[in-house]
Amino acid sequence: MNTSNFEPKIVAFCCHYCAYAAADLAGSGRLQYPPNIRIIRSPCTGRLEVEYFMKAFEDGADGVIVAGCEEGSCHFKEGNLVAKRRVNYARKLLAEAGLEGERLRMVNVSAASARKLVEYLREMASTIERLGPSPLYTGKPSAKQERKLR
Ligand code: FES
C-alpha cells in the first residue's frame, strides 16, 4: 500500500455522559477534528468488551480510542476503571499480534472538555499517520459482513 495517500481510519468509542457530550460540544463549537474518526456512542466505557476493540481492528480501523468520563466521575461508578483494565489487556493482545499498543488508547474527559477531546483525537490521528496502516486488516469482509452482503 502506498502510505503517502494513507488516511487513517480511527474508531472513537465515546461514553454517552461525558465524552460523547464533549464531542457534541466540539461540533456545536465548530472545533474541528480529523474527518476520518468515527464516533461510536456507548452508554459507558465499562460496557465495552475487549472483543469490540479487536473487532474494530479486524474490520479495518487503524486506531481505536476509548473516551470515558474522568476517573471518579463515571455515571456507573467504576465503568471507566473497568474499561481502563480492558484497554490495557487488549493492548497486550495487540502486542502479541505484532501491533503497536499506541494504536489503542483510553482517555478521560468531562462533558465540558470539548477542546481536550479534540486534542486527544488529533493526537491519535497523528500517531496513526506516523505508524501507518494496521497490518491486521486483511481487506476481506468478516463472515458477518459477508452474510449481510448476500
Ligand atoms: Fe462515562 Fe462510565 S458513564 S465512562
Side-chain angles (χ1 to χ4, degrees):
M1 176 185 226
N2 181 358
T3 51
S4 62
N5 299 330
F6 174 53
E7 283 191 26
K9 289 184 274 312
I10 297 169
V11 172
F13 288 107
C14 293
C15 89
H16 171 76
Y17 291 95
C18 288
Y20 193 82
D24 219 19
L25 190 61
S28 48
R30 299 182 190 272
L31 298 176
Q32 293 204 334
Y33 54 83
N36 39 5
I37 295 184
R38 297 285 172 265
I39 293 189
I40 298 177
R41 178 165 44 176
S42 168
C44 171
T45 55
R47 297 283 297 274
L48 301 166
E49 302 286 343
V50 169
E51 289 82 359
Y52 298 4
F53 313 141
M54 306 313 267
K55 185 81 175 74
F57 284 109
E58 272 175 39
D59 287 350
D62 300 298
V64 174
I65 186 162
V66 179
C69 302
E70 291 179 325
E71 290 190 13
S73 301
C74 171
H75 288 245
F76 297 91
K77 292 191 177 176
E78 297 190 342
N80 51 3
L81 300 180
V82 170
K84 187 179 176 181
R85 285 196 295 273
R86 288 180 180 156
V87 165
N88 288 337
Y89 178 68
R91 285 173 69 125
K92 284 184 193 149
L93 294 180
L94 290 175
E96 283 171 20
L99 216 64
E100 305 86 351
E102 297 157 273
R103 290 183 187 272
L104 173 63
R105 179 181 184 194
M106 176 150 190
V107 297
N108 302 86
V109 292
S110 74
S113 304
R115 280 186 194 286
K116 199 170 168 187
L117 179 69
V118 167
E119 219 172 275
Y120 284 138
L121 296 175
R122 286 184 186 152
E123 268 175 31
M124 188 67 175
S126 54
T127 299
I128 302 303
E129 276 167 20
R130 178 175 49 80
L131 294 173
S134 163
L136 278 193
Y137 180 52
T138 60
K140 291 180 194 158
S142 65
K144 189 176 174 187
Q145 287 170 326
E146 269 183 5
R147 277 195 300 277
K148 277 187 189 169
L149 292 173
R150 283 187 205 146

